[in-house]
Amino acid sequence: MSALRREVTVLGTVLLLLVALVLVGLGVGEIPLSPLQVAGALVGHGDTVSDFVVGQLRGPRVAGAVLVGAALGAAGGIVQSVVRNPIASPDVIGITSGASASGLTAIVLFGASGGALFGSVVVGAVLVSVVIAALSWRRGITGNRVVLVGIGVAAICLSITGWMLTSGTVQQAGTALLWLSGSLNAVDRTLVGVLGVAVVVLLAAALVQSRRLTVLALGDEVAAALGLRPDRAKVLLLLTAVCLTAGAVATAGPVAFVALMAAPVARRLVGNGRVALGAVAAVGAVITLASDLLAQFAIPGNALPVGVVTGVVGAPYLLWLLARGR
């Protein structure tokens, strides 16, 4: 099987799994709906109950999980490919921590929500990424320096997060803790709409640049010999990844380890070490939506934030990566 055909096959299979999870997510709950009722509501031919449940109650949450997972998965794939390090995801190198600290500061000091929170998270993520790039730059961006500098910057951002938590009121602290754990409870149609537009535009930009990832994987010298400006290409790709991460964090908070896991899983499925951003985004969406379903229904009567489930799965995976690496 050719590499392109295998990639298309993997993408189609993952998308079918994602569709199945979407139908489950829209159908299960206190008001169960059959697949036919869900399908009818989605195409505008449902009854009053199914239209309300799908359109107002479950639809925004399911769509939010899919978009957040796709954004984090693609961002992780870009960062790991550019830096050429399997643990260099936005979670590890400080981008997610910077976005979280910025969002929490806006919540505690200014009571931000909605668009204001979204904007503050994006600004914070971009500023932190600029700091990481500036501190790790040595004749270009290298993997080990980015990871180590990012871990240090993440520690600073976590200190800011702790400071904000202790500075706010009890109500603010409760809201902030729920958001910091990575939760889709507060996702609404407006927020999903904004994230949807952002993800479509940014994923399109990432797919346009995906061929550069393949060239960069050959090394900076080879990439330059092939006519690519490595540093410029890396900056543009990383900026796309930062914006994808910021959009996901602004919507659901820092959902842990999705960006770390999605790319390696997709790469193993596709084979040949190919950077298939479409498959990576789809795998990220599957991981997030499946984790959210587990968070809601695994423990009857006790719904958990989705970030708790992804953390339980992702933390051992990170330890395994560190243990098997050199």
Side-chain angles (χ1 to χ4, degrees):
M1 182 183 294
S2 67
L4 180 59
R5 185 179 177 184
R6 182 183 176 93
E7 183 177 332
V8 172
T9 302
V10 169
L11 177 59
T13 303
V14 176
L15 287 177
L16 286 176
L17 176 59
L18 180 60
V19 170
L21 288 173
V22 167
L23 292 177
V24 172
L26 294 176
V28 299
E30 294 184 1
I31 304 175
L33 300 177
S34 68
L36 288 178
Q37 287 178 299
V38 171
L42 289 174
V43 299
H45 296 292
D47 54 49
T48 304
V49 173
S50 60
D51 284 344
F52 176 75
V53 170
V54 171
Q56 301 294 330
L57 297 182
R58 298 174 190 160
R61 182 173 187 136
V62 170
V66 171
L67 291 171
V68 167
L72 291 176
I78 292 172
V79 172
Q80 290 171 2
S81 298
V82 169
V83 180
R84 288 191 287 176
N85 190 315
I87 67 169
S89 73
D91 307 285
V92 176
I93 66 172
I95 297 174
T96 301
S97 298
S100 303
S102 177
L104 184 58
T105 302
I107 291 174
V108 173
L109 297 184
F110 307 106
S113 62
L117 178 60
F118 197 101
S120 65
V121 169
V122 172
V123 170
V126 172
L127 289 177
V128 167
S129 63
V130 169
V131 172
I132 294 171
L135 293 176
S136 59
W137 189 278
R138 287 295 183 275
R139 297 180 181 179
I141 298 175
T142 58
N144 290 339
R145 291 189 63 86
V146 170
V147 173
L148 294 175
V149 170
I151 290 173
V153 172
I156 296 173
C157 293
L158 288 175
S159 299
I160 296 174
T161 299
W163 178 27
M164 288 296 107
L165 284 174
T166 57
S167 300
T169 63
V170 174
Q171 183 178 1
Q172 288 175 326
T175 302
L177 281 173
L178 181 61
W179 183 74
L180 286 172
S181 63
S183 174
L184 292 162
N185 291 341
V187 172
D188 57 24
R189 298 178 68 176
T190 301
L191 198 56
V192 167
V194 173
L195 179 63
V197 173
V199 168
V200 168
V201 172
L202 292 169
L203 279 181
L207 291 172
V208 169
Q209 302 176 77
S210 61
R211 184 166 296 181
R212 298 177 181 177
L213 288 174
T214 304
V215 177
L216 288 171
L218 302 175
D220 290 357
E221 294 181 358
V222 176
L226 293 174
L228 184 67
R229 297 170 60 184
D231 291 338
R232 181 176 180 272
K234 288 180 181 180
V235 168
L236 291 175
L237 284 163
L238 289 175
L239 181 60
T240 304
V242 167
C243 292
L244 284 168
T245 303
V249 173
T251 302
V255 181
F257 295 120
V258 175
L260 177 71
M261 295 185 290
V265 171
R267 190 174 289 112
R268 286 180 178 274
L269 292 174
V270 173
N272 299 322
R274 291 174 59 86
V275 184
L277 286 182
V280 172
V283 170
V286 167
I287 291 174
T288 306
L289 182 53
S291 297
D292 189 49
L293 292 174
L294 283 175
Q296 292 182 74
F297 304 111
I299 304 176
N302 188 11
L304 301 172
V306 62
V308 173
V309 177
T310 58
V312 168
V313 176
Y317 176 74
L318 176 59
L319 293 175
W320 177 75
L321 276 180
L322 293 173
R324 69 186 291 268
R326 289 179 295 177

